[in-house]
Amino acid sequence: AFQEFGISFDYYGRTSSKTHRDVSQQFFKKLYEKGAFNEKTEEQFYDAEADMFLADRYIKGTCPKCGYEEAYGDQCEKCGASLSPKELIKPRSMLSGNAPELRKTRHWYIPLGKYEGWLREWIDGQENWKPNVLGQCKSWLDGGLNERAVTRDLKWGVPVPLEGADGKVLYVWFDAPIGYISATVEWAAQIGDPEGWKLFWQDENTELVHFIGKDNIVFHCIMFPAMLKEHGDFVLPTNVPANEFLNLEGRKLSTSRGWAVWLHEYLEDFDAEL
């Protein structure tokens, strides 16, 4: 389908690669050594039938903000509110459908409130950002930023590079944006220019633009910039354009739920240039 649309990739990376694991672990370790994280033990949802702690996206329930009954444990896709699993009304496991129980577990958190002043100043200085993006950012800032877990209890993912952290992996929204960096590292190595990735991520003249979906604004405008700022070696995005959700027959377009216009079906009726 991509080929028929005239789309090609300079490089197609995966967050399961060794390079991504190494770059993500190095990023985590630098922040850890700078004292950027809070370590604590608290109760999190556990699915006894599946025998595992549940990451945010493995939990659904009713949004306490708007009443949407299919909200995820980290965000409501209807109203856009940033959530924590414990805020959900009538939470249920996506694995078994059962109501999860609370059990104690140890994790590392990034205190986003520490960066609230800087984030507000940085976001207020963006003159060309879309109003919907600025609106969401300011709404979160006005509501006060809470700490966010950067690790999870999962059997897959990038292992936390600390002693005594067996069974812990990096939270997907901590290591996924680092994947943009690691993919650039892999691409540069592939073309025979191992230092070439630095032009994209460490040159002050670089204009870094994140084209994303509305539900990812909080991660690309709040969490990832805070991570980059704390690390100190990377440029920040100059723009983060995000569109509103598309509706199909009155429901939100969602590939994960199979409610979408698929590329190969589009090409059966329309020309790619349209």
Side-chain angles (χ1 to χ4, degrees):
F2 279 124
Q3 185 176 358
E4 292 182 19
F5 263 97
I7 296 173
S8 61
F9 296 93
D10 293 306
Y11 184 76
Y12 197 97
R14 296 180 179 275
T15 54
S16 57
S17 73
K18 180 182 182 303
T19 299
H20 175 70
R21 183 190 67 202
D22 294 344
V23 172
S24 298
Q25 290 181 331
Q26 290 166 11
F27 199 111
F28 177 90
K29 283 171 111 174
K30 177 154 186 180
L31 267 60
Y32 177 81
E33 290 165 359
K34 293 179 74 173
F37 303 131
N38 295 331
E39 179 185 340
K40 65 179 184 178
T41 298
E42 69 168 11
E43 292 184 328
Q44 290 187 0
F45 283 126
Y46 183 87
D47 186 328
E49 183 177 331
D51 189 25
M52 65 179 286
F53 283 96
L54 298 173
D56 300 339
R57 290 274 163 155
Y58 283 72
I59 307 169
K60 273 190 176 181
T62 299
C63 174
K65 312 285 186 182
C66 70
Y68 181 56
E69 296 181 352
E70 296 294 317
Y72 287 107
D74 62 345
Q75 188 175 44
C76 175
E77 290 193 340
K78 185 173 183 180
C79 70
S82 179
L83 303 170
S84 68
K86 290 182 182 179
E87 293 181 278
L88 291 177
I89 300 168
K90 295 182 179 178
R92 63 187 186 277
S93 168
M94 295 282 290
L95 299 177
S96 66
N98 298 330
E101 60 187 66
L102 289 170
R103 291 191 183 183
K104 289 185 178 181
T105 183
R106 178 176 62 122
H107 284 291
W108 289 264
Y109 297 75
I110 184 168
L112 292 176
K114 170 184 173 183
Y115 309 96
E116 197 169 305
W118 170 80
L119 282 166
R120 188 180 295 276
E121 181 180 352
W122 177 65
I123 290 170
D124 284 344
Q126 308 303 327
E127 298 179 355
N128 299 317
W129 284 25
K130 299 181 73 169
N132 67 312
V133 175
L134 289 173
Q136 277 206 35
C137 290
K138 290 177 180 178
S139 175
W140 283 311
L141 289 168
D142 290 343
L145 298 178
N146 298 317
E147 61 184 7
R148 192 112 193 183
V150 298
T151 60
R152 286 288 185 269
D153 291 292
L154 285 174
K155 298 175 182 177
W156 54 267
V158 176
V160 173
L162 298 175
E163 290 212 11
D166 294 343
K168 312 285 184 183
V169 299
L170 299 183
Y171 173 41
V172 64
W173 269 112
F174 180 87
D175 86 272
I178 298 173
Y180 309 141
I181 301 171
S182 64
T184 316
V185 172
E186 290 176 332
W187 162 81
Q190 180 177 273
I191 65 170
D193 182 15
E195 300 296 306
W197 68 272
K198 295 181 179 179
L199 175 65
F200 293 84
W201 290 99
Q202 296 185 333
D203 191 312
E204 293 183 358
N205 295 317
T206 292
E207 290 194 16
L208 181 64
V209 181
H210 294 185
F211 292 93
I212 59 167
K214 172 185 176 182
D215 50 343
N216 292 334
I217 292 175
V218 64
F219 301 108
H220 286 75
C221 297
I222 302 290
M223 188 166 179
F224 191 37
M227 292 162 50
L228 293 171
K229 176 69 173 176
E230 182 64 50
H231 189 286
D233 290 344
F234 301 104
V235 299
L236 295 166
T238 53
N239 206 336
V240 187
N243 294 321
E244 294 298 302
F245 292 142
L246 293 174
N247 288 335
L248 178 63
E249 297 181 11
R251 288 168 53 193
K252 175 184 170 291
L253 205 73
S254 173
T255 55
S256 60
R257 294 179 183 144
W259 192 252
V261 177
W262 304 100
L263 294 183
H264 67 282
E265 293 175 344
Y266 178 94
L267 288 168
E268 292 174 4
D269 298 311
F270 301 99
D271 187 273
E273 295 299 322
L274 297 176

